[in-house]
Each structure stands twice: as structure tokens, then as C-alpha cells.
Amino acid sequence: MDFLTLFLIYLWFILTTVALLCVCSGRKESFLTRSVNGASQVLSFVIPTQLQRVTQRALHRLFHTRSCLFVALHVALQAAVYGEYTWEVFVYCWELQFHLLLLLLPYLLLAGNMGCFILCSRANPGIITKSNHALLVKIYAYDGVLFQKGIVCPTCNMEKPARSKHCSFCSMCVHRFDHHCVWVNNCIGAFNAKYFFLYLFSLAATAAAIATITAAFLIQVVLLSNMMHGSYIDEQGQEHAVEILFLVQHLFLTFPRVVFMLGFVILLTLVLGAYCCFNLYLALTNQTSNEWYKSRRYRCSRHLTLQPHDRQVVYKNIYSKGVWMNLKEIFKPPTVLERKKT
């Protein structure tokens, strides 16, 4: 059971890192994709063809179609972390007379996180259909750079509204498309961006809370044992004062799963914290992940216009309306009536 827990947590970290790299860009031709394709070409010389086909089908199933596998993995690994927190950290902290409200904080955050997770995964992200296409196309103006008027989606056979994109996972066009999140098994668009925003921040807060309580527990153990003022004898029989490295080794031998969980949630807090900051930046500037990536690629490509004097196009975000209005748009997407007033 212990080995399985450690294996799942390691697997969660690897898949989380891969998924973040994949979905942050919102594009197929990312650096990760090019790296994987290059590695596949090298390995194709030593791996049997039949095994290559099976692997390609499995990877396509995981990363290019909607699947509940990551959702199940997400729930299982959260259960593993909370199981470890409950059976070891919570019990020890209760014996050390930690405040009950502090110990219950991760569970309260978990309840909010699971609520946002369900809303984000079940909500309509803004699917563009023939019945609502005429309304959605009027909400945002075409900027003439990232979004051109008259571009037809070959799959949906409809003109793409500004800020929309066709999702290859879900095989549909999404209004104000941000990215497809495999962890919630849904696209992130205009109508569920607020749920994803709250889900992401509550998940980062949950990891930070568990990390803080676990670190406080280990520090309390060190202080109560008075180890900092002690000494130890090494293999050569020499006496040394207790150092930080010795404390970490001692705690790992005494509470191996707790120390491992602490290292994992700290790393997860840093990764999620950085991603939260990135999403907050996007929200405050009224951009999506898809638009941010496309604008960076456009700046790097240095395309020239067909206008007189051959001046280079400078991309400008025309959708930003100020920090407060940009943040408000996440929680209250604009309608056609609001578009006409502006």
C-alpha cells in the first residue's frame, strides 16, 4: 500500500507537469509536442512497429480525445494525499494540541475545490452552435490580427467568432476559448472560466495549507525533542553537532511518508502558485491562454502587412477594458446588449 501511494503521487506529479506544459499553450505544436515527436523518431529504430502503433493509439486516446482517466487519477491522488494527512498529520497534530480550525482548514478547502471542480467539468464552456452563432459573433470585435473576419471552421462549417477556437478534443468550437483541461475533462471557455479560476486557486490554497500544517508539525516535533541542541556520533566515531541535513534525514526515517508528502505538496504549491499567477495576469489583462500564445508567436514571426509602406503589424490587445472590468468579465461574460452599450 505504501509503495502504491508513493508510485501514484510520483505519477501525479509527472502527469501534472506534462499536462500543464500541454494545456498552458493551448496549441498542438508546442515545444513539448516537438520534443516528443523527435524522441519518437529516435525510438522508432529500436521499438517494434506493432508496439509503436499500440503506444501511438494509447497516447492519442490520452492526449487528443476526451477521457475520464485524468479525472479518476486526480480524485484517486487527492484521496491518497488526504488519507495520509488524516491518518498521520491530523492525528499527531491533534495530540500536540493544534487548533482544531487550523486542522480542519484543508477539508474546508477541499469541499470548495471539489464544488468548483464539478461545476467546471459539467458546465457548458460556451459551445458555438448554429442556434447561438448569430448572437455570439456580435459579442467581440475582430482585431484583424489574431482573429480575422470570414474564417470558417472546416469541421463545424461556421464562421469563427472573434476569440473562439475549435477544440480538437471535444470536436466543437468554443466561445472565448482558453484551453482544454484534461484534469476536468472539459474546455475552458467564456461560461466556465470563473469556475476554473476558483478551482485552480482553491487547489493551490489546499496544497499550501497541507504543506504549512505538515511543516509546522515537523518543526514542533524537532522543538519538543530538543534535537537542535544535541549531537550525534558518525560512523568514524566522531561527535558532531546536529545540522539541518541530519534533522531532515532523521525526520525522513521517523516519518517517511509525511516528509515525502511535504516535499510533494511544497513542489505542487510552487507549480500551482506560478500557474495561478499566470492565470491572474491573463484575467487582469483580458487575455486567454490561446490568445497569449498566438500573440507571442505572432511577435516572433515578424510578418509584414500588405498595407502601403510595408509597416510591420504591432499586435494590440483591443479586448482589455481596465483591470476591474477585465476581472469582472471572467465572472460575468458580456452579452450582446452589453456589447452594444460599449
Side-chain angles (χ1 to χ4, degrees):
M1 181 61 183
D2 292 344
F3 173 77
L4 179 60
T5 302
L6 296 178
F7 171 75
L8 289 176
I9 292 176
Y10 269 128
L11 183 61
W12 189 18
F13 169 68
I14 293 172
L15 293 178
T16 302
T17 305
V18 172
L20 285 176
L21 290 173
C22 288
V23 303
C24 284
S25 64
R27 302 290 298 177
K28 292 180 181 179
E29 296 299 328
S30 62
F31 172 77
L32 180 65
T33 304
R34 294 193 297 268
S35 301
V36 171
N37 290 336
S40 300
Q41 293 177 359
V42 175
L43 294 176
S44 62
F45 294 102
V46 295
I47 298 178
T49 305
Q50 189 65 25
L51 182 58
Q52 292 182 39
R53 293 174 181 174
V54 174
T55 304
Q56 289 174 356
R57 285 196 296 266
L59 292 176
H60 178 80
R61 178 68 178 174
L62 285 175
F63 295 104
H64 294 282
T65 60
R66 297 192 67 179
S67 173
C68 293
L69 176 63
F70 285 95
V71 175
L73 183 63
H74 174 277
V75 174
L77 292 171
Q78 258 192 339
V81 171
Y82 269 87
E84 184 62 29
Y85 172 79
T86 302
W87 293 112
E88 293 211 41
V89 178
F90 185 92
V91 173
Y92 288 134
C93 288
W94 178 255
E95 294 177 355
L96 294 173
Q97 298 182 346
F98 276 57
H99 199 285
L100 180 60
L101 184 59
L102 177 64
L103 298 179
L104 293 178
L105 179 60
Y107 299 104
L108 299 177
L109 292 172
L110 175 64
N113 177 254
M114 292 305 296
C116 296
F117 168 78
I118 294 173
L119 289 173
C120 186
S121 60
R122 300 296 297 273
N124 177 6
I127 301 174
I128 301 175
T129 62
K130 293 183 178 180
S131 59
N132 64 12
H133 177 268
L135 295 176
L136 295 180
V137 78
K138 298 177 182 178
I139 294 180
Y140 293 113
Y142 293 93
D143 62 2
V145 181
L146 300 183
F147 304 103
Q148 304 282 349
K149 186 176 178 59
I151 303 298
V152 177
C153 174
T155 304
C156 301
N157 197 24
M158 292 184 295
E159 181 183 4
K160 291 184 178 181
R163 311 193 75 179
S164 68
K165 185 179 182 297
H166 183 85
C167 176
S168 58
F169 289 83
C170 304
S171 189
M172 60 187 182
C173 286
V174 177
H175 176 53
R176 198 184 182 275
F177 177 87
D178 191 277
H179 70 281
H180 181 93
C181 181
V182 295
W183 296 108
V184 300
N185 197 28
N186 198 5
C187 286
I188 308 302
F191 302 145
N192 67 344
K194 53 181 176 291
Y195 302 132
F196 179 76
F197 195 77
L198 296 174
Y199 161 75
L200 186 61
F201 276 81
S202 61
L203 188 61
T206 301
I210 294 179
T212 302
I213 296 172
T214 305
F217 157 66
L218 294 176
I219 292 173
Q220 188 72 1
V221 169
V222 172
L223 294 177
L224 290 175
S225 63
N226 203 27
M227 291 181 58
M228 292 296 297
H229 303 287
S231 61
Y232 69 96
I233 299 176
D234 61 14
E235 296 178 353
Q236 286 75 30
Q238 297 180 352
E239 187 176 356
H240 300 275
V242 173
E243 301 173 348
I244 298 297
L245 181 59
F246 176 82
L247 282 177
V248 173
Q249 292 175 345
H250 176 75
L251 290 174
F252 186 79
L253 293 174
T254 308
F255 308 101
R257 293 182 299 182
V258 174
V259 174
F260 181 86
M261 184 188 71
L262 175 61
F264 171 73
V265 292
I266 288 177
L267 189 59
L268 188 62
T269 301
L270 295 176
V271 173
L272 290 174
Y275 192 42
C276 285
C277 292
F278 174 68
N279 275 267
L280 181 61
Y281 162 75
L282 293 180
L284 295 178
T285 56
N286 205 333
Q287 297 183 82
T288 65
S289 298
N290 178 53
E291 294 166 2
W292 177 82
Y293 181 84
K294 290 175 68 175
S295 65
R296 290 181 71 250
R297 187 185 63 175
Y298 185 84
R299 293 189 186 102
C300 295
S301 63
R302 297 182 180 178
H303 287 311
L304 298 180
T305 65
L306 298 178
Q307 299 174 356
H309 310 297
D310 283 340
R311 292 179 301 175
Q312 184 176 348
V313 173
V314 178
Y315 171 71
K316 181 180 179 181
N317 181 15
I318 67 172
Y319 306 113
S320 180
K321 305 172 185 176
V323 172
W324 172 247
M325 293 302 296
N326 292 340
L327 190 60
K328 181 182 177 181
E329 186 171 316
I330 296 293
F331 295 92
K332 187 182 178 183
T335 62
V336 178
L337 295 178
E338 293 175 345
R339 170 76 174 86
K340 291 180 178 178
K341 292 179 183 179
T342 58

